[in-house]
Amino acid sequence: MVSRLILIGFMGSGKTTLGRKLAKKLNYQFIDTDTLIEEQEQLSISQIFDQKGESYFRAVETKLLDSLENHENTIISVGGGLPCFEKNMEKLKQLGTVIYLERPAKELYQRILTNIQQRPLLANKTESELLNYIEKTLQDRDVYYRQAHFILNRDQQKISDLQAIVLEN
Ligand code: S3P
């Protein structure tokens, strides 16, 4: 039985929604790294990017990882960029079972369009810039995301699929 399940994937891949539902079903705790950072910094993610810059945010993300070791029976949803900086992917894999929620760039684009303003890396982009950015960034991040213990395509991302991974591993 998996005690710590970690969901990774690009912005808009559904990590938080799925993670929250799964935690409820399994009676696990749910943690979202962006929410933890917002609480810790008393600022929204957009405000952190604006006021302190991306590298500050990345340093906070990396530091946060070390504090997650004490959580048992927990589903952790991590910010889309977190696995792709420092040795974070290695650390995540030591922390628990890592699942990559994979989705094609065009689908992520459609899902992201509705709440682009809350995402500092995407705000102020035109629709065509947004699609280009997603395609390029997804390609750059692929090498990190693919190191996950499990890679689930969009047809394998039902609660029952994830529940089976938790129960059988
Ligand atoms: C980011 C993803 C966001 C958030 C920040 C940066 C990224 O999290 O951490 O805006 O670099 O992909 P979500 O993936 O939960 O949207």
Side-chain angles (χ1 to χ4, degrees):
M1 181 111 167
V2 172
S3 175
R4 275 188 296 263
L5 190 80
I6 298 151
L7 300 179
I8 67 167
F10 205 80
M11 291 173 266
S13 57
K15 296 165 297 215
T16 305
T17 311
L18 203 61
R20 197 170 274 131
K21 283 189 191 159
L22 182 65
K24 203 167 175 192
K25 183 111 189 167
L26 293 167
N27 207 12
Y28 272 32
Q29 190 193 350
F30 176 71
I31 289 178
D32 177 84
T33 58
D34 283 343
T35 308
L36 276 189
I37 292 172
E38 289 181 330
E39 285 168 6
Q40 191 179 308
E41 298 289 313
Q42 294 286 299
L43 292 170
S44 71
I45 299 294
S46 297
Q47 287 170 326
I48 299 172
F49 271 72
D50 279 355
Q51 297 175 19
K52 304 193 168 184
E54 179 173 353
S55 42
Y56 176 85
F57 175 74
R58 298 301 175 196
V60 175
E61 277 190 316
T62 299
K63 197 157 171 228
L64 182 79
L65 272 188
D66 298 327
S67 70
L68 298 176
E69 274 170 16
N70 302 323
H71 294 270
E72 302 297 334
N73 298 341
T74 303
I75 311 290
I76 304 168
S77 159
V78 307
L82 188 146
C84 315
F85 289 84
E86 307 285 341
K87 292 200 179 327
N88 291 354
M89 193 58 196
E90 231 170 83
K91 283 193 188 174
L92 286 171
K93 288 177 75 177
Q94 281 163 11
L95 191 67
T97 301
V98 181
I99 297 188
Y100 171 30
L101 301 176
E102 186 185 24
R103 279 183 191 266
K106 287 219 167 58
E107 206 177 300
L108 292 166
Y109 165 77
Q110 289 299 338
R111 291 166 62 98
I112 285 171
L113 268 184
T114 50
N115 55 2
I116 184 172
Q117 287 314 323
Q118 292 142 27
R119 297 188 152 106
L121 293 173
L122 309 179
N124 307 321
K125 287 194 173 16
T126 65
E127 291 193 5
S128 74
E129 283 169 347
L130 177 63
L131 183 57
N132 284 339
Y133 175 85
I134 295 172
E135 281 171 345
K136 177 172 186 314
T137 312
L138 189 59
Q139 203 172 12
D140 293 345
R141 291 182 174 180
D142 197 65
V143 61
Y144 300 97
Y145 290 158
R146 290 207 173 278
Q147 293 170 35
H149 295 113
F150 295 91
I151 300 173
L152 303 185
N153 67 39
R154 62 131 108 76
D155 301 322
Q156 302 166 314
Q157 297 177 10
K158 293 183 290 303
I159 293 290
S160 53
D161 297 317
L162 290 152
Q163 199 176 4
I165 292 177
V166 172
L167 298 177
E168 289 163 20
N169 290 276

